[in-house]
Amino acid sequence: MAGRSGAGRRAGALCLLRDCTDGPLETLSPALSLTELGTQPYRRGHGYLADIRDGSESARNDFGWTVLRDRVRAADAHLVVIGEPGTIGRVDPVPAIEWQPPDLRFFLRRSSALDEPSVERVLECAGEPGTARFGMQVWKQVIAGIEAGAEPGEVIVEQEKSVACERVRAWFDERCSSLDALAEITALLFLAGCGLRQFEELSGRLGDLLRVRLLGPLAEDTVPHDPAAGAEPGAVDGPPRQHRLVRIADGGLITVVPGRVGAAGSTDVAEGQIVQFREAADRGYTAAELWARWDSRFWDGVREWLNEIAAESADLPGPTVSCLADGVVAMAAVAPTEVRWSFLEPWSTGYSLMRTQSMAAEVLMAMSRDDAQAPVALRIATQWVASGVWRAQWSATLAFALDLGTRYPVEAVDRLEILLISGTTALRGFPGNALGALFEQLSGEPAAASRVLRMLAGRIRECPPGRPERDRVLAAVRIILGITRMYPEHSAVFVVHCADHAYADILGELWAALLRYRPQRAESLDLLIDAVPTVAAVAVDPADSCAVFADALAATLRDSERRALRRDLESRLRRRRGRAPADADIEPLYAVLTTRLTQPSLSGVPA
């Protein structure tokens, strides 16, 4: 009978034995292996209960099960063997069943004094799969808490945490008996969700590093080989590295499931196998157990291993890099100082062709997705911006351009503005590119996206022509006005404009500043022409949206500039029509744009 411990399988096994015999019932030692069970004496009419906890190959040996079956039958006795799912494996010589815990509604009614409304409330909070969520003893504790006046939801959540914590602690106490097991569970902390082959390669590297850190480089030479005992040379830390079958089937913390696996150096993904924690909550408890149990020698080895991976991050599949970042975040919840000064700070300033800087930014972005860690990520990124160290500023810029920026758009725009205007020369145009990426992320929320536009318009007004700062601002404006959203491919600025015309004046200022910049005049005209189809695609009233924008642009230009802009636009449109005519629903918008440019000025801008 295979079933999860605590789910009532022992009681079910005893009931099954009692149905078979009226004789005495005995519980055999859980230390006995399958082979040893086959040599035990059994008495006529007795019932026996055995708990197999050996996940080795012997528990999957048909010959061993055949011997055990024949011995029990010869004694005219009865035996039920229970074990964790996967521990027993496929058993052909004897009947095998999967234990199903009792229905939770039935259990609550029979085991508690709760009235029917309270039972329904517990069922609502428990959700699926009911009794499979906890063992029977835990459900009794839940019932006791509810009968004492606690809220069912709160009691269930607290019991979930307690059960998960105890499960992980028990695994470390009972199964983390070799250096390979320690290396695998540590690698899983940082690589949960990684492809199976990648996980095996990286966890093997960690195991090699930990052998040196914990046992010393000459450990193999200091352990004598005893041929009579069958010991292998250098067997200093227990059994050899676990085989894949044992790791998957031992019912422990690790499981392998089908999933999407990335290829190194490519964005492509394919169906494969990924390694995960059996329960998602186990990741945090694993981090806590590792931090509580192991000293600096162990963590020095982990740091060396993570530094190697961070330096190779550009060559790793994207999903693996994301898994690593999530693992560092899980560790940060337990040891924030260790993560900050052993990983993030060295990565942000390392000399690795920006690979470790990218890894540091990935961690900040992963932290921003966690409610508890997001403020910490913002504080670290802000300090990097103010540090004056361009590599650290590069990491902060990348984080603010993506997830951290969408979490904190106001702070992101403020920090990217600082880097755009007064950042180190080594950053080049990266802050402008980051502003473009952030604007694309925020374009679905016009109020948030408008912060980027307002900041740039203000800087255009403040920076006089000829200043390097103005050139950097204009380069950022060029990037943002040319940004297209990927799905579907629409001009991001016109998506914002069509969603809310309140930002038309700011857009008019930015387009006017870019169109006045003679070195990019032709390119800017093409950008404007290419952006107009977005209005036809997303606006409720395309003609009105186009007219509002044209009026805002015209109000920013002098009369001579408006006439020149209309002339240049019409000239480039004629050239395009000569190559390929525009769609019938877009031509009227071009007509609105060019016509409104030369309407009488309402802004009082002189000719």
Side-chain angles (χ1 to χ4, degrees):
M1 180 186 294
R4 184 168 52 83
S5 178
R9 64 181 186 183
R10 180 183 178 86
L14 291 174
C15 289
L16 184 60
L17 287 170
R18 183 50 69 202
D19 287 343
C20 295
T21 178
D22 294 328
L25 302 183
E26 300 181 29
T27 300
L28 301 177
S29 170
L32 296 175
S33 67
L34 178 64
T35 302
E36 291 168 334
L37 286 174
T39 63
Q40 290 291 305
Y42 296 96
R43 298 180 181 180
R44 179 184 180 87
H46 284 223
Y48 297 89
L49 174 64
D51 186 351
I52 286 208
R53 302 186 181 186
D54 178 14
S56 66
E57 290 296 330
S58 64
R60 301 175 177 81
N61 188 332
D62 279 358
F63 177 75
W65 286 104
T66 301
V67 171
L68 176 60
R69 178 200 63 190
D70 293 346
R71 187 171 183 84
V72 173
R73 285 182 177 176
D76 195 17
H78 304 276
L79 171 67
V80 175
V81 179
I82 62 175
E84 292 283 338
T87 301
I88 297 176
R90 185 174 64 87
V91 181
D92 287 335
V94 298
I97 61 173
E98 292 289 334
W99 169 251
Q100 299 297 326
D103 177 70
L104 180 56
R105 188 188 303 275
F106 172 82
F107 178 78
L108 291 173
R109 288 171 174 170
R110 293 291 299 271
S111 305
S112 73
L114 298 177
D115 56 20
E116 195 62 26
S118 298
V119 169
E120 293 299 325
R121 176 62 177 155
V122 173
L123 293 173
E124 179 184 349
C125 294
E128 295 294 336
T131 45
R133 193 166 187 171
F134 300 136
M136 297 298 102
Q137 293 300 320
V138 176
W139 275 115
K140 290 180 180 179
Q141 295 175 20
V142 171
I143 292 171
I146 296 172
E147 291 177 341
E151 281 293 321
E154 295 177 0
V155 177
I156 290 174
V157 169
E158 287 303 316
Q159 287 296 334
E160 280 184 331
K161 294 178 180 178
S162 176
V163 168
C165 183
E166 288 301 321
R167 180 177 61 250
V168 173
R169 183 174 293 121
W171 185 91
F172 275 93
D173 290 339
E174 299 171 7
R175 302 195 186 185
C176 191
S177 57
S178 71
L179 195 55
D180 288 318
L182 176 62
E184 284 189 341
I185 198 62
T186 306
L188 185 65
L189 168 62
F190 293 100
L191 296 172
C194 171
L196 176 59
R197 292 290 299 274
Q198 186 93 57
F199 175 82
E200 290 175 338
E201 191 267 326
L202 293 176
S203 65
R205 285 165 55 179
L206 176 59
D208 294 339
L209 281 171
L210 292 181
R211 279 184 177 83
V212 174
R213 289 284 182 177
L214 300 180
L215 304 176
L218 301 179
E220 293 187 2
D221 298 332
T222 61
V223 179
H225 175 42
D226 182 6
E232 294 291 336
V236 296
D237 67 330
R241 179 167 292 130
Q242 298 180 35
H243 294 294
R244 182 181 296 175
L245 179 62
V246 176
R247 180 199 307 124
I248 296 172
D250 70 351
L253 302 181
I254 302 176
T255 186
V256 177
V257 299
R260 305 285 283 174
V261 179
S266 171
T267 58
D268 296 337
V269 293
E271 293 298 329
Q273 291 180 301
I274 60 175
V275 186
Q276 291 181 338
F277 280 97
R278 197 171 296 275
E279 301 289 342
D282 291 351
R283 191 176 207 169
Y285 297 115
T286 297
E289 287 295 323
L290 287 171
W291 184 247
R293 290 169 182 261
W294 294 96
D295 60 17
S296 59
R297 293 181 303 156
F298 170 80
W299 290 106
D300 286 345
V302 173
R303 178 180 60 188
E304 183 178 349
W305 175 69
L306 287 174
N307 287 343
E308 289 180 1
I309 298 177
E312 302 168 2
S313 58
D315 300 323
L316 295 175
T320 301
V321 175
S322 298
C323 293
L324 179 60
D326 291 337
V328 175
V329 173
M331 191 67 215
V334 176
T337 303
E338 177 78 9
V339 168
R340 172 77 185 272
W341 299 107
S342 292
F343 306 142
L344 290 180
E345 293 297 334
W347 291 350
S348 69
T349 57
Y351 296 88
S352 60
L353 298 176
M354 311 316 294
R355 294 184 175 191
T356 58
Q357 281 75 19
S358 298
M359 193 67 245
E362 285 281 353
V363 174
L364 291 188
M365 289 187 281
M367 292 173 73
S368 72
R369 296 189 288 269
D370 183 276
D371 290 341
Q373 296 291 329
V376 180
L378 176 61
R379 186 161 54 249
I380 293 172
T382 301
Q383 292 172 358
W384 287 351
V385 169
S387 69
V389 179
W390 78 268
R391 293 177 184 274
Q393 289 179 338
W394 194 95
S395 295
T397 302
L398 181 57
F400 277 129
L402 299 171
D403 296 54
L404 186 59
T406 56
R407 180 71 182 249
Y408 298 106
V410 176
E411 292 82 358
V413 173
D414 289 345
R415 298 305 178 273
L416 292 177
E417 179 184 8
I418 293 172
L419 294 173
L420 179 67
I421 300 301
S422 57
T424 57
T425 306
L427 289 176
R428 303 180 186 275
F430 191 44
N433 289 316
L435 282 167
L438 177 61
F439 183 80
E440 180 186 358
Q441 299 283 323
L442 299 175
S443 59
E445 303 175 25
S450 68
R451 297 182 183 278
V452 179
L453 304 179
R454 292 182 190 280
M455 182 273 290
L456 292 174
R459 284 296 178 177
I460 287 289
R461 299 186 205 109
E462 295 173 7
C463 298
R467 296 282 299 174
E469 295 88 349
R470 185 180 179 88
D471 292 341
R472 289 197 290 269
V473 173
L474 281 174
V477 171
R478 160 65 184 81
I479 291 169
I480 288 172
L481 297 185
I483 286 288
T484 56
R485 300 180 67 185
M486 294 182 63
Y487 304 107
E489 190 170 322
H490 291 149
S491 166
V493 289
F494 277 105
V495 168
V496 172
H497 168 66
C498 294
D500 192 340
H501 291 171
Y503 311 114
D505 292 342
I506 303 173
L507 281 180
E509 282 189 66
L510 296 178
W511 276 106
L514 191 61
L515 290 165
R516 286 189 181 115
Y517 189 50
R518 302 305 299 181
Q520 293 188 356
R521 172 80 167 191
E523 184 181 358
S524 302
L525 290 169
D526 287 335
L527 280 180
L528 182 55
I529 292 172
D530 291 337
V532 169
T534 297
V535 180
V538 303
V540 176
D541 186 343
D544 178 63
S545 293
C546 196
V548 171
F549 167 72
D551 289 344
L553 176 58
T556 310
L557 300 172
R558 298 173 182 271
D559 289 339
S560 57
E561 290 174 327
R562 293 200 296 270
R563 290 192 295 269
L565 178 57
R566 176 173 180 173
R567 182 176 62 250
D568 292 344
L569 276 174
E570 290 176 340
S571 173
R572 298 193 78 81
L573 285 169
R574 282 195 298 270
R575 292 179 190 175
R576 291 198 174 201
R577 293 187 190 105
R579 295 193 299 266
D583 293 341
D585 57 343
I586 299 176
E587 278 292 352
L589 300 183
Y590 289 139
V592 170
L593 177 61
T594 55
T595 302
R596 305 283 292 207
L597 281 174
T598 52
Q599 294 287 337
S601 175
L602 302 178
S603 63
V605 177

